[in-house]
Amino acid sequence: MAASVSVNVNGLANTGDWQDRYFHVKDFLRNKCRILVIGAANLALTGFKDIHVIDMDTIDISNLNRQFLFRVDPRQLVAAEYIMKRVPGVKIQDKDDNYYLQFNLARRWINATLVNLVDPENPESLKPLIDGGTEGFKGQARVILPTITSCYECSLDMLNKPTTFPICTIANTPRLPEHCIEWASVLEWPRIHGEKKLDTDDPEHITWLYTVAAARAKEFNIEGVTYSLTHGVVKSIIPAIASTNAIIAALLQYLNNYFMLIGTEGIYSYTFEHEKRKDCPVCGGESLEISISHETTMLTERQTIQIKKPSLATSAKHIYLQGPPQLEQATRPNLEKKVSELVEEGDPVIVTASTLPFDLSLVIKYT
């Protein structure tokens, strides 16, 4: 592992560095540092030797261009086997299904867990979270120091919403090739095939969708429907670019503290310090205040919260419960009611969900 410090004849770092710094860091990386990797990654070649890998993915044939360790087995097994042969002494430990069942949503879970682990009296309790990802020619990387920098929960509003198309648009006024493909898969497939399930890995099914979508596009003078686009839309395939992955991977350890890369038109990159949110439910320690109209119903969407299948309650009553089935059915009518009919202004609403690693407290303000 390369280092920028020089070493004198006595094996000590030169003036301006602490004694034995280089050897201390080298020994720490190779013999003491333990890394939890969410997603198979090749850290062993950088000096780390005790790596626990979490990655239960298998590889889509359509996504082979970035899979340097591709085999037919799950990739965490392939990566572990290859690296342990390549780097003598490295230990990569896989976990069974019971280990994975304790997690819900990896990033939010690990983020909240690391924040809760921090003990001001114990410096060793601060575990950095290094996070990065790519989407085609776009990428982001960040380093999170729990309780010191902004956490993952602080930046939820920066996540892109999944691309969806209104049913009325794809049914009546398509304008894009994607509208035609969605029409073929969402509306025409069940109309023609009934209960038969669409298999997005079956070439015959994709060919049928492509043919129907192309005919729909021709009817509305829309260009651009191709077999590959059809496959990409129905499987939500995001192109994987090896060069983007390499850039993001190289920058993961140097940031303060958020890096963005956009390479769709030229190359644009930007590094900035993402500030902590005072009302962050994980690292801010306060209730999240939201302002809504008196006419807002319980069925609403908030980009800063992003919770699937929540249960809601106040200190006085249950508003909606996901289960058991009897309680879900009993509280379901509340979803159609206005929030103002169920919650007094300033009364905290406690939100729980299987994908949420903490109880979220919302304070309602009416406008």
Side-chain angles (χ1 to χ4, degrees), residues 44-197:
L45 297 180
T46 65
F48 298 103
K49 288 196 172 183
D50 193 350
I51 303 170
H52 300 251
V53 178
I54 296 178
D55 196 328
M56 292 305 291
D57 283 353
T58 53
I59 307 303
D60 271 331
I61 299 300
S62 59
N63 198 24
L64 286 183
N65 67 307
R66 69 172 181 171
Q67 307 303 334
F68 305 112
L69 298 176
F70 172 70
R71 305 290 188 278
V72 294
D73 297 319
R75 64 181 175 181
Q76 88 283 2
L77 301 179
V78 175
E81 180 182 359
Y82 174 83
I83 293 171
M84 284 190 288
K85 289 181 179 179
R86 175 80 178 271
V87 185
V90 71
K91 179 176 67 174
I92 300 178
Q93 182 178 353
D94 183 38
K95 303 293 185 179
D96 60 20
D97 288 345
N98 291 329
Y99 182 83
Y100 297 95
L101 287 175
Q102 67 182 296
F103 305 114
N104 293 309
L105 186 59
R107 280 186 178 131
R108 294 182 82 173
W109 180 90
I110 199 69
N111 174 74
T113 298
L114 293 177
V115 171
N116 291 332
L117 282 176
V118 175
D119 179 358
E121 303 298 323
N122 179 16
E124 295 294 326
S125 66
L126 195 153
K127 310 294 183 183
L129 172 61
I130 303 173
D131 178 55
T134 64
E135 183 177 297
F137 288 101
K138 301 176 183 179
Q140 60 85 24
R142 67 185 304 186
V143 176
I144 296 172
L145 300 177
T147 71
I148 297 177
T149 66
S150 65
C151 72
Y152 183 80
E153 200 78 19
C154 290
S155 59
L156 280 185
D157 57 343
M158 296 183 65
L159 301 180
N160 292 329
K161 292 182 179 180
T163 301
T164 58
F165 304 107
I167 291 294
C168 58
T169 298
I170 64 176
N172 302 313
T173 56
R175 299 182 299 276
L176 301 172
E178 290 83 355
H179 292 163
C180 301
I181 297 168
E182 284 287 294
W183 176 82
S185 62
V186 175
L187 299 178
E188 279 299 281
W189 178 273
R191 187 180 73 85
I192 300 298
H193 299 280
E195 297 297 323
K196 184 178 180 180
K197 185 178 179 180

Side-chain angles (χ1 to χ4, degrees), residues 293-307:
S293 165
H294 279 86
E295 303 301 314
T296 302
T297 67
M298 294 301 300
L299 291 174
T300 188
E301 182 177 329
R302 287 278 166 164
Q303 179 72 2
T304 56
I305 300 177
Q306 298 194 25
I307 302 173

Side-chain angles (χ1 to χ4, degrees), residues 257-277:
N257 56 19
Y258 199 103
F259 171 82
M260 295 189 306
L261 173 70
I262 302 176
T264 50
E265 297 180 4
I267 296 179
Y268 171 79
S269 64
Y270 181 57
T271 303
F272 66 97
E273 185 172 352
H274 194 288
E275 296 183 358
K276 296 178 68 174
R277 276 174 44 199

Side-chain angles (χ1 to χ4, degrees), residues 212-268:
V212 173
R216 174 79 165 176
K218 184 177 181 180
E219 179 183 351
F220 285 88
N221 296 317
I222 298 172
E223 299 180 352
V225 174
T226 64
Y227 181 91
S228 61
L229 180 63
T230 303
H231 197 201
V233 169
V234 298
K235 286 183 65 69
S236 299
I237 294 174
I238 299 172
I241 311 298
S243 57
T244 308
N245 296 341
I247 293 171
I248 295 302
L251 289 168
L252 280 173
Q253 55 184 316
Y254 297 111
L255 300 175
N256 184 28
N257 56 19
Y258 199 103
F259 171 82
M260 295 189 306
L261 173 70
I262 302 176
T264 50
E265 297 180 4
I267 296 179
Y268 171 79

